[in-house]
Amino acid sequence: MKRNILATAIAGMTTLSGSWAATAAEIEFHGDMDNRFQAYTNQRDWFSGGNSGGGTLKDDEPTESFGEVKYRFWAKATSDDKKVTGVFATEIGGIRYGEGSGGDYSGDGVNIETRWAYVDFLVPNTLDQRVSLGLQPVSVNRHVWTETATAAVWKGSLGSGFDYQLLWGRGDSSNESGVDSEQDEGWDGADNFAINLNKRYSPNLSAGLFYLYQMNDQIAEGVGTVNSREYELKSIADNSKYSVSSFGVEMDYGQETSLGACS
């Protein structure tokens, strides 16, 4: 059975890289398998796992403890000339010991999800311009927008130490009811457009600019709420209409330090 799986993976990678002369591929398999055990105090309702759904303090309820399974497996296939890479990841997440999501007897439950599914390739006739397409981790700024999203990302170097990134990421593209309104048209989903420009001045210092535009042209119905734990736009994307711009400057400085030898 293992031989059949490997043959299928190699055949798939050969098809993916067919536009190049290379037919060989390097295939990597990775796994992150966590079993977590947690005990909440009576203030556990700060967390979304609390009985009241989070956001409040309690002083008259018993503490809660649980075990949780969270596994992620991913495969990465790269052509031998490094021009094409394909990544696919699955995740088994949030299975609590003894609960019906898959942690009860026999382990019955639908709990496997697609986490990543994207291809990254070198733009033909270039040396350092790459495009990533598919469901992938994206980041404009770690404090403003870091996400896993279906996206198209073009990135590369402009020379003289400047690097850039152009990004379009799509979020929720349907109304809360699941049926688009006849008034919705064009870019009627939650779309995110971004540009990053960074320059590395030394091995320890880099600085840059970013611009992020997030929009949703769906027809809004009703009144939504925003709280301190769900302030992100993606949390109010359903049935909301918004247009938000974010512009920022970022700087990263890192320097290794040492206290020297101690005797």
Side-chain angles (χ1 to χ4, degrees), residues 31-55:
D32 183 8
M33 296 174 284
D34 290 331
N35 281 266
R36 304 183 296 186
F37 298 89
Q38 301 182 33
Y40 286 167
T41 68
N42 287 331
Q43 296 178 348
R44 72 183 185 283
D45 288 339
W46 276 114
F47 301 88
S48 60
N51 292 337
S52 66

Side-chain angles (χ1 to χ4, degrees), residues 176-256:
E176 193 172 75
S177 62
V179 179
D180 289 338
S181 167
E182 293 181 358
Q183 301 178 64
D184 289 328
E185 59 183 25
W187 295 98
D188 60 352
D191 291 284
N192 308 271
F193 303 89
I195 181 170
N196 288 75
L197 182 63
N198 293 280
K199 179 176 175 61
R200 179 160 295 281
Y201 294 93
S202 73
N204 300 322
L205 176 64
S206 65
L209 306 172
F210 69 87
Y211 174 73
L212 170 65
Y213 176 61
Q214 298 174 283
M215 60 170 285
N216 192 339
D217 269 347
Q218 296 181 87
I219 303 301
E221 298 176 358
V223 178
T225 60
V226 179
N227 60 51
S228 62
R229 293 185 305 107
E230 296 180 346
Y231 62 89
E232 296 174 303
L233 286 179
K234 69 177 183 178
S235 299
I236 58 172
D238 282 340
N239 259 15
S240 299
K241 192 171 183 177
Y242 55 78
S243 178
V244 178
S245 294
S246 301
F247 175 79
V249 178
E250 56 185 352
M251 183 177 71
D252 182 69
Y253 178 78
Q255 177 65 55
E256 293 185 3

Side-chain angles (χ1 to χ4, degrees), residues 115-116 118 134-139 146-149 153:
R115 188 62 180 175
W116 301 325
Y118 67 93
L135 179 63
Q136 59 186 298
V138 295
S139 179
T146 298
E147 186 60 85
T148 297
V153 183

Side-chain angles (χ1 to χ4, degrees), residues 2-235:
K2 291 183 179 179
R3 184 177 303 171
N4 292 336
I5 294 174
L6 183 59
T8 302
I10 294 175
M13 191 60 218
T14 302
T15 302
L16 180 64
S17 59
S19 59
W20 280 273
T23 57
E26 176 183 335
I27 301 177
E28 303 174 8
F29 295 93
H30 302 267
D32 183 8
M33 296 174 284
D34 290 331
N35 281 266
R36 304 183 296 186
F37 298 89
Q38 301 182 33
Y40 286 167
T41 68
N42 287 331
Q43 296 178 348
R44 72 183 185 283
D45 288 339
W46 276 114
F47 301 88
S48 60
N51 292 337
S52 66
T56 60
L57 293 176
K58 300 289 183 180
D59 61 4
D60 58 354
E61 291 186 5
T63 59
E64 181 184 30
S65 61
F66 62 85
E68 185 178 51
V69 175
K70 190 168 186 177
Y71 289 1
R72 181 180 297 181
F73 301 97
W74 66 99
K76 179 180 179 181
T78 304
S79 60
D80 61 351
D81 56 10
K82 310 300 182 184
K83 290 183 177 180
V84 183
T85 297
V87 178
F88 178 71
T90 60
E91 183 172 285
I92 303 170
I95 299 178
R96 293 194 177 183
Y97 285 34
E99 294 191 4
S101 61
D104 57 0
Y105 292 124
S106 299
D108 295 329
V110 179
N111 44 52
I112 298 178
E113 63 183 78
T114 300
R115 188 62 180 175
W116 301 325
Y118 67 93
V119 60
D120 177 283
F121 60 90
L122 181 71
V123 178
N125 301 318
T126 68
L127 296 177
D128 52 11
Q129 315 296 310
R130 302 191 69 90
V131 173
S132 296
L133 301 172
L135 179 63
Q136 59 186 298
V138 295
S139 179
V140 175
N141 175 273
R142 64 181 181 273
H143 301 296
V144 177
W145 198 62
T146 298
E147 186 60 85
T148 297
T150 45
V153 183
W154 185 306
K155 55 188 174 183
S157 174
L158 297 174
S160 301
F162 283 96
D163 296 320
Y164 73 91
Q165 172 182 272
L166 301 175
L167 182 149
W168 165 57
R170 166 137 282 203
D172 185 2
S173 62
S174 63
N175 283 326
E176 193 172 75
S177 62
V179 179
D180 289 338
S181 167
E182 293 181 358
Q183 301 178 64
D184 289 328
E185 59 183 25
W187 295 98
D188 60 352
D191 291 284
N192 308 271
F193 303 89
I195 181 170
N196 288 75
L197 182 63
N198 293 280
K199 179 176 175 61
R200 179 160 295 281
Y201 294 93
S202 73
N204 300 322
L205 176 64
S206 65
L209 306 172
F210 69 87
Y211 174 73
L212 170 65
Y213 176 61
Q214 298 174 283
M215 60 170 285
N216 192 339
D217 269 347
Q218 296 181 87
I219 303 301
E221 298 176 358
V223 178
T225 60
V226 179
N227 60 51
S228 62
R229 293 185 305 107
E230 296 180 346
Y231 62 89
E232 296 174 303
L233 286 179
K234 69 177 183 178
S235 299

